[in-house]
Amino acid sequence: MTSPAEERDFIPVRIAVLTVSDTRMPDDDVSGDTLVARLRMAGHELAARDLLPDDRAAIAAKLREWCADPGIDVVISTGGTGLTGRDVTVEAHRDVYEKEIDAFGTVFTNVSMVKIGTSAVQSRATAGVAGGTYLFALPGSPGACKDAWDEILMAQFDYRHTPCNFVEILPRLDEHRRRK
C-alpha cells in the first residue's frame, strides 16, 4: 500500500449518502451519520442524503436520479446488503450498474474478516459505476460503514493516493457516452 503523493493537491468529491432501512428514521440513522462525518472529515462534500425503505424499485430510482445529477460524483448506500428477504439493496444497485467493481466486495470481505471473522460471509457489499458516478452498497452497521470508509474508500477517494485511485479516473467514467 502506498501513501498519498506529496506533489498532488487534494480534490474533494461530491458524495451522496443513502440509508436503506424499514426501521431507521433520520434522527437515529447512525450508519448514515458515520459516513457523513467521515467523508466531511476527509474534506469531501455531502452532495445529498436520503433514507428509503427496503424497496428495490425505489432504491434503483433514487440511484438513477443521483447518477443523472451532475452535482454528485459518488453514491454510498448503507443497509439492505444482507441475506434476508427484505435485503434488496444489492439487487437495486445491480439494476443500475453499467460496470461492476468486482474487487470491492472481495476487499471489503478481507477487511471484515479481520474485524468480525467468518461472519463476513453474510455481507454482499458491492460497488459499480453508472452514468459516470461511483456507486457503493455497504452493510447497515456503523462498524461496517466505518471499516469500508477507513480501510478502502478514504484512500481511493484521495487523489494523492498512489499508485492509483478512483478520483483520477472519475472524469473518464462516462467517456463511452461522448461523441468522437
Side-chain angles (χ1 to χ4, degrees):
M1 177 152 58
T2 309
S3 62
E6 296 298 323
E7 63 275 2
R8 291 182 170 185
D9 290 330
F10 179 80
I11 299 173
V13 294
R14 299 161 298 193
I15 303 173
V17 174
L18 175 63
T19 299
V20 177
S21 176
D22 287 334
T23 59
R24 295 279 179 221
M25 300 303 289
D27 61 337
D28 68 351
D29 179 13
V30 179
S31 295
D33 291 344
T34 297
L35 288 168
V36 169
R38 282 183 152 61
L39 72 88
R40 284 182 169 156
M41 192 168 25
H44 300 294
E45 176 188 333
L46 177 64
R49 185 171 180 184
D50 206 348
L51 192 148
L52 293 175
D54 294 284
D55 178 288
R56 182 174 176 169
I59 297 163
K62 178 56 73 172
L63 295 175
R64 286 185 184 99
E65 173 190 329
W66 281 351
C67 286
D69 185 335
I72 296 174
D73 302 312
V74 179
V75 176
I76 303 174
S77 69
T78 174
T81 63
L83 301 173
T84 71
R86 294 291 295 157
D87 290 325
V88 295
T89 302
V90 172
E91 289 74 19
H93 269 252
R94 289 185 174 143
D95 289 344
V96 176
Y97 291 165
E98 294 168 1
K99 294 183 180 183
E100 193 158 353
I101 305 171
D102 297 316
F104 178 78
T106 303
V107 173
F108 181 78
T109 299
N110 288 335
V111 168
S112 296
M113 283 289 296
V114 172
K115 310 286 181 154
I116 61 171
T118 60
S119 294
V121 302
Q122 294 187 34
S123 170
R124 297 184 304 136
T126 186
V129 176
T133 304
Y134 289 109
L135 302 163
F136 296 88
L138 307 179
S141 76
C145 291
K146 175 186 166 298
D147 293 343
W149 182 266
D150 294 354
E151 303 292 333
I152 306 168
L153 299 177
M154 184 171 63
Q156 281 300 299
F157 287 115
D158 188 335
Y159 180 65
R160 302 166 297 180
H161 182 78
T162 58
C164 57
N165 59 74
F166 288 143
V167 179
E168 64 191 348
I169 61 172
L170 182 60
R172 296 179 48 217
L173 293 181
D174 64 351
E175 66 189 359
H176 65 288
R177 296 173 184 269
R178 292 184 226 137
R179 270 185 145 165
K180 295 185 183 207

